[in-house]
CSV table of all heavy atoms in Angstrom, one decimal:
chain,number,residue,atom,x,y,z
A,412,ASP,N,1.3,-18.7,-15.1
A,412,ASP,CA,2.6,-18.4,-14.4
A,412,ASP,C,3.0,-16.9,-14.6
A,412,ASP,O,4.0,-16.5,-14.1
A,412,ASP,CB,3.7,-19.3,-14.9
A,412,ASP,CG,3.6,-20.7,-14.4
A,412,ASP,OD1,2.8,-20.9,-13.5
A,412,ASP,OD2,4.4,-21.5,-14.8
A,413,SER,N,2.1,-16.1,-15.3
A,413,SER,CA,2.5,-14.7,-15.4
A,413,SER,C,1.2,-13.9,-15.7
A,413,SER,O,0.2,-14.4,-16.2
A,413,SER,CB,3.5,-14.5,-16.5
A,413,SER,OG,3.0,-14.8,-17.8
A,414,PHE,N,1.2,-12.6,-15.3
A,414,PHE,CA,0.2,-11.7,-15.7
A,414,PHE,C,0.7,-10.3,-15.5
A,414,PHE,O,1.7,-10.0,-14.9
A,414,PHE,CB,-1.1,-11.9,-14.8
A,414,PHE,CG,-0.9,-11.7,-13.3
A,414,PHE,CD1,-1.1,-10.4,-12.8
A,414,PHE,CD2,-0.6,-12.7,-12.5
A,414,PHE,CE1,-1.0,-10.2,-11.4
A,414,PHE,CE2,-0.4,-12.5,-11.1
A,414,PHE,CZ,-0.6,-11.3,-10.6
A,415,THR,N,-0.1,-9.3,-16.0
A,415,THR,CA,0.3,-7.9,-15.9
A,415,THR,C,-0.9,-7.1,-15.4
A,415,THR,O,-2.1,-7.3,-15.8
A,415,THR,CB,0.7,-7.3,-17.3
A,415,THR,OG1,1.9,-8.0,-17.7
A,415,THR,CG2,1.0,-5.8,-17.2
A,416,ALA,N,-0.7,-6.2,-14.4
A,416,ALA,CA,-1.7,-5.3,-13.9
A,416,ALA,C,-1.2,-3.9,-14.2
A,416,ALA,O,-0.1,-3.5,-13.7
A,416,ALA,CB,-2.0,-5.5,-12.5
A,417,VAL,N,-1.9,-3.1,-15.0
A,417,VAL,CA,-1.5,-1.7,-15.3
A,417,VAL,C,-2.5,-0.8,-14.6
A,417,VAL,O,-3.7,-0.8,-14.8
A,417,VAL,CB,-1.5,-1.5,-16.8
A,417,VAL,CG1,-1.1,0.0,-17.1
A,417,VAL,CG2,-0.5,-2.4,-17.5
A,418,PHE,N,-1.9,0.1,-13.8
A,418,PHE,CA,-2.7,1.1,-13.0
A,418,PHE,C,-2.6,2.5,-13.6
A,418,PHE,O,-1.4,2.9,-13.8
A,418,PHE,CB,-2.2,1.1,-11.6
A,418,PHE,CG,-2.4,-0.2,-10.8
A,418,PHE,CD1,-1.4,-1.2,-11.0
A,418,PHE,CD2,-3.4,-0.4,-9.9
A,418,PHE,CE1,-1.6,-2.4,-10.3
A,418,PHE,CE2,-3.5,-1.5,-9.2
A,418,PHE,CZ,-2.6,-2.6,-9.4
A,419,ASP,N,-3.7,3.1,-14.0
A,419,ASP,CA,-3.6,4.4,-14.5
A,419,ASP,C,-4.1,5.5,-13.5
A,419,ASP,O,-4.2,6.7,-13.8
A,419,ASP,CB,-4.3,4.6,-15.9
A,419,ASP,CG,-5.8,4.2,-15.8
A,419,ASP,OD1,-6.5,4.6,-14.9
A,419,ASP,OD2,-6.2,3.4,-16.7
A,420,HIS,N,-4.5,5.0,-12.3
A,420,HIS,CA,-4.9,6.0,-11.3
A,420,HIS,C,-4.5,5.3,-9.9
A,420,HIS,O,-4.7,4.1,-9.7
A,420,HIS,CB,-6.3,6.3,-11.2
A,420,HIS,CG,-6.7,7.3,-10.1
A,420,HIS,ND1,-6.4,8.6,-10.2
A,420,HIS,CD2,-7.2,7.1,-8.8
A,420,HIS,CE1,-6.8,9.2,-9.0
A,420,HIS,NE2,-7.2,8.3,-8.2
A,421,CYS,N,-3.8,6.1,-9.1
A,421,CYS,CA,-3.3,5.5,-7.8
A,421,CYS,C,-3.9,6.3,-6.6
A,421,CYS,O,-3.7,7.5,-6.5
A,421,CYS,CB,-1.8,5.6,-7.8
A,421,CYS,SG,-1.0,5.3,-6.2
A,422,GLY,N,-4.6,5.6,-5.7
A,422,GLY,CA,-5.2,6.2,-4.6
A,422,GLY,C,-4.2,6.8,-3.6
A,422,GLY,O,-4.4,7.9,-3.0
A,423,ILE,N,-3.0,6.2,-3.5
A,423,ILE,CA,-2.0,6.7,-2.6
A,423,ILE,C,-1.4,8.0,-3.1
A,423,ILE,O,-1.2,9.0,-2.4
A,423,ILE,CB,-0.9,5.7,-2.4
A,423,ILE,CG1,-1.4,4.5,-1.6
A,423,ILE,CG2,0.3,6.3,-1.6
A,423,ILE,CD1,-0.4,3.4,-1.4
A,424,CYS,N,-1.2,8.1,-4.4
A,424,CYS,CA,-0.7,9.4,-5.0
A,424,CYS,C,-1.7,10.5,-4.7
A,424,CYS,O,-1.3,11.6,-4.3
A,424,CYS,CB,-0.6,9.2,-6.5
A,424,CYS,SG,0.9,8.3,-7.0
A,425,HIS,N,-3.0,10.2,-4.9
A,425,HIS,CA,-4.0,11.2,-4.6
A,425,HIS,C,-4.0,11.6,-3.1
A,425,HIS,O,-4.0,12.8,-2.8
A,425,HIS,CB,-5.4,10.8,-5.0
A,425,HIS,CG,-6.5,11.7,-4.7
A,425,HIS,ND1,-6.7,12.9,-5.5
A,425,HIS,CD2,-7.4,11.8,-3.7
A,425,HIS,CE1,-7.7,13.6,-5.0
A,425,HIS,NE2,-8.1,13.0,-3.9
A,426,LEU,N,-4.0,10.7,-2.2
A,426,LEU,CA,-4.0,11.0,-0.8
A,426,LEU,C,-2.8,11.8,-0.4
A,426,LEU,O,-3.0,12.8,0.3
A,426,LEU,CB,-4.1,9.6,0.0
A,426,LEU,CG,-4.0,9.8,1.5
A,426,LEU,CD1,-5.1,10.6,2.1
A,426,LEU,CD2,-3.8,8.4,2.2
A,427,PHE,N,-1.7,11.4,-0.8
A,427,PHE,CA,-0.4,12.1,-0.4
A,427,PHE,C,-0.3,13.5,-1.0
A,427,PHE,O,0.2,14.4,-0.4
A,427,PHE,CB,0.8,11.2,-0.7
A,427,PHE,CG,1.0,10.1,0.3
A,427,PHE,CD1,0.0,9.5,1.0
A,427,PHE,CD2,2.3,9.6,0.5
A,427,PHE,CE1,0.2,8.5,1.9
A,427,PHE,CE2,2.5,8.5,1.4
A,427,PHE,CZ,1.4,8.0,2.1
A,428,GLN,N,-0.9,13.6,-2.2
A,428,GLN,CA,-0.9,15.0,-2.8
A,428,GLN,C,-1.8,15.9,-2.0
A,428,GLN,O,-1.5,17.0,-1.7
A,428,GLN,CB,-1.4,14.9,-4.2
A,428,GLN,CG,-0.4,14.3,-5.2
A,428,GLN,CD,-1.0,14.0,-6.6
A,428,GLN,OE1,-2.2,14.1,-6.8
A,428,GLN,NE2,-0.1,13.5,-7.5
A,429,GLN,N,-3.0,15.3,-1.5
A,429,GLN,CA,-3.9,16.1,-0.7
A,429,GLN,C,-3.3,16.5,0.6
A,429,GLN,O,-3.5,17.5,1.2
A,429,GLN,CB,-5.2,15.3,-0.4
A,429,GLN,CG,-6.0,15.0,-1.7
A,429,GLN,CD,-6.5,16.2,-2.3
A,429,GLN,OE1,-6.1,16.6,-3.4
A,429,GLN,NE2,-7.5,16.9,-1.7
A,430,LEU,N,-2.4,15.6,1.1
A,430,LEU,CA,-1.7,15.9,2.4
A,430,LEU,C,-0.5,16.7,2.3
A,430,LEU,O,0.2,17.0,3.3
A,430,LEU,CB,-1.4,14.5,3.1
A,430,LEU,CG,-2.6,13.6,3.5
A,430,LEU,CD1,-2.1,12.3,4.0
A,430,LEU,CD2,-3.4,14.3,4.6
A,431,GLY,N,-0.1,17.0,1.0
A,431,GLY,CA,1.1,17.8,0.8
A,431,GLY,C,2.4,17.0,1.0
A,431,GLY,O,3.5,17.6,1.3
A,432,ILE,N,2.4,15.7,0.9
A,432,ILE,CA,3.6,14.8,1.1
A,432,ILE,C,3.8,13.9,-0.1
A,432,ILE,O,4.2,12.7,0.1
A,432,ILE,CB,3.5,14.1,2.4
A,432,ILE,CG1,2.3,13.2,2.5
A,432,ILE,CG2,3.6,15.0,3.6
A,432,ILE,CD1,2.3,12.2,3.6
A,433,ALA,N,3.6,14.4,-1.3
A,433,ALA,CA,3.7,13.6,-2.5
A,433,ALA,C,5.1,13.0,-2.7
A,433,ALA,O,5.2,11.9,-3.3
A,433,ALA,CB,3.3,14.4,-3.8
A,434,GLU,N,6.1,13.6,-2.1
A,434,GLU,CA,7.4,13.1,-2.2
A,434,GLU,C,7.7,11.8,-1.5
A,434,GLU,O,8.7,11.1,-1.8
A,434,GLU,CB,8.4,14.1,-1.6
A,434,GLU,CG,8.4,14.2,-0.1
A,434,GLU,CD,7.3,15.1,0.5
A,434,GLU,OE1,6.5,15.6,-0.3
A,434,GLU,OE2,7.3,15.3,1.7
A,435,VAL,N,6.7,11.3,-0.7
A,435,VAL,CA,6.9,10.1,0.1
A,435,VAL,C,6.3,8.9,-0.7
A,435,VAL,O,6.6,7.7,-0.3
A,435,VAL,CB,6.2,10.2,1.5
A,435,VAL,CG1,6.4,9.0,2.3
A,435,VAL,CG2,6.7,11.4,2.2
A,436,VAL,N,5.5,9.1,-1.7
A,436,VAL,CA,4.9,8.0,-2.4
A,436,VAL,C,5.9,6.9,-2.9
A,436,VAL,O,5.7,5.7,-2.7
A,436,VAL,CB,4.0,8.5,-3.6
A,436,VAL,CG1,3.4,7.3,-4.3
A,436,VAL,CG2,2.9,9.4,-3.1
A,437,PRO,N,7.0,7.3,-3.5
A,437,PRO,CA,8.0,6.3,-3.9
A,437,PRO,C,8.5,5.3,-2.8
A,437,PRO,O,8.9,4.2,-3.1
A,437,PRO,CB,9.2,7.1,-4.5
A,437,PRO,CG,8.5,8.4,-4.9
A,437,PRO,CD,7.5,8.7,-3.9
A,438,ALA,N,8.4,5.8,-1.6
A,438,ALA,CA,8.8,4.9,-0.5
A,438,ALA,C,7.8,3.7,-0.4
A,438,ALA,O,8.2,2.6,0.0
A,438,ALA,CB,8.8,5.7,0.9
A,439,MET,N,6.6,3.9,-0.7
A,439,MET,CA,5.6,2.8,-0.7
A,439,MET,C,5.7,2.0,-2.0
A,439,MET,O,5.5,0.8,-1.9
A,439,MET,CB,4.2,3.4,-0.4
A,439,MET,CG,4.0,4.0,0.9
A,439,MET,SD,2.2,4.0,1.5
A,439,MET,CE,2.0,2.3,1.9
A,440,CYS,N,6.0,2.7,-3.1
A,440,CYS,CA,6.1,2.0,-4.3
A,440,CYS,C,7.2,1.0,-4.3
A,440,CYS,O,7.1,-0.2,-4.8
A,440,CYS,CB,6.4,3.0,-5.5
A,440,CYS,SG,5.2,4.2,-5.8
A,441,ALA,N,8.3,1.3,-3.6
A,441,ALA,CA,9.4,0.4,-3.5
A,441,ALA,C,9.1,-0.9,-2.8
A,441,ALA,O,9.7,-1.9,-3.1
A,441,ALA,CB,10.6,1.1,-2.8
A,442,TYR,N,8.1,-0.9,-1.9
A,442,TYR,CA,7.7,-2.0,-1.1
A,442,TYR,C,7.0,-3.1,-2.0
A,442,TYR,O,6.9,-4.2,-1.6
A,442,TYR,CB,6.9,-1.7,0.1
A,442,TYR,CG,6.6,-2.8,1.0
A,442,TYR,CD1,7.7,-3.5,1.6
A,442,TYR,CD2,5.4,-3.2,1.4
A,442,TYR,CE1,7.5,-4.6,2.4
A,442,TYR,CE2,5.1,-4.2,2.3
A,442,TYR,CZ,6.2,-4.9,2.8
A,442,TYR,OH,6.0,-6.0,3.6
A,443,ASP,N,6.6,-2.7,-3.2
A,443,ASP,CA,5.9,-3.6,-4.1
A,443,ASP,C,6.8,-4.8,-4.4
A,443,ASP,O,6.4,-6.0,-4.6
A,443,ASP,CB,5.5,-3.0,-5.4
A,443,ASP,CG,4.3,-2.0,-5.2
A,443,ASP,OD1,3.6,-2.1,-4.2
A,443,ASP,OD2,4.2,-1.1,-6.0
A,444,TYR,N,8.1,-4.5,-4.5
A,444,TYR,CA,9.1,-5.6,-4.9
A,444,TYR,C,9.2,-6.6,-3.8
A,444,TYR,O,9.2,-7.8,-4.0
A,444,TYR,CB,10.5,-5.0,-5.2
A,444,TYR,CG,10.5,-4.2,-6.5
A,444,TYR,CD1,10.1,-2.8,-6.4
A,444,TYR,CD2,10.8,-4.8,-7.7
A,444,TYR,CE1,10.1,-2.1,-7.6
A,444,TYR,CE2,10.8,-4.0,-8.8
A,444,TYR,CZ,10.5,-2.7,-8.8
A,444,TYR,OH,10.5,-1.9,-10.0
A,445,ALA,N,9.3,-6.2,-2.5
A,445,ALA,CA,9.4,-7.1,-1.4
A,445,ALA,C,8.1,-7.9,-1.2
A,445,ALA,O,8.1,-9.1,-0.9
A,445,ALA,CB,9.6,-6.3,-0.1
A,446,MET,N,6.9,-7.3,-1.4
A,446,MET,CA,5.7,-8.0,-1.3
A,446,MET,C,5.6,-9.1,-2.4
A,446,MET,O,5.2,-10.2,-2.1
A,446,MET,CB,4.5,-7.0,-1.5
A,446,MET,CG,4.3,-6.1,-0.3
A,446,MET,SD,2.6,-5.4,-0.2
A,446,MET,CE,2.7,-4.4,-1.7
A,447,ALA,N,6.0,-8.8,-3.6
A,447,ALA,CA,5.9,-9.8,-4.7
A,447,ALA,C,6.9,-10.9,-4.3
A,447,ALA,O,6.5,-12.1,-4.6
A,447,ALA,CB,6.3,-9.1,-6.0
Side-chain angles (χ1 to χ4, degrees):
D412 286 350
S413 66
F414 64 89
T415 297
V417 177
F418 298 80
D419 58 48
H420 180 79
C421 170
I423 293 175
C424 284
H425 179 76
L426 174 62
F427 282 26
Q428 286 168 358
Q429 296 298 108
L430 296 172
I432 57 171
E434 73 278 4
V435 184
V436 180
M439 296 206 74
C440 296
Y442 189 54
D443 290 339
Y444 291 87
M446 288 197 296

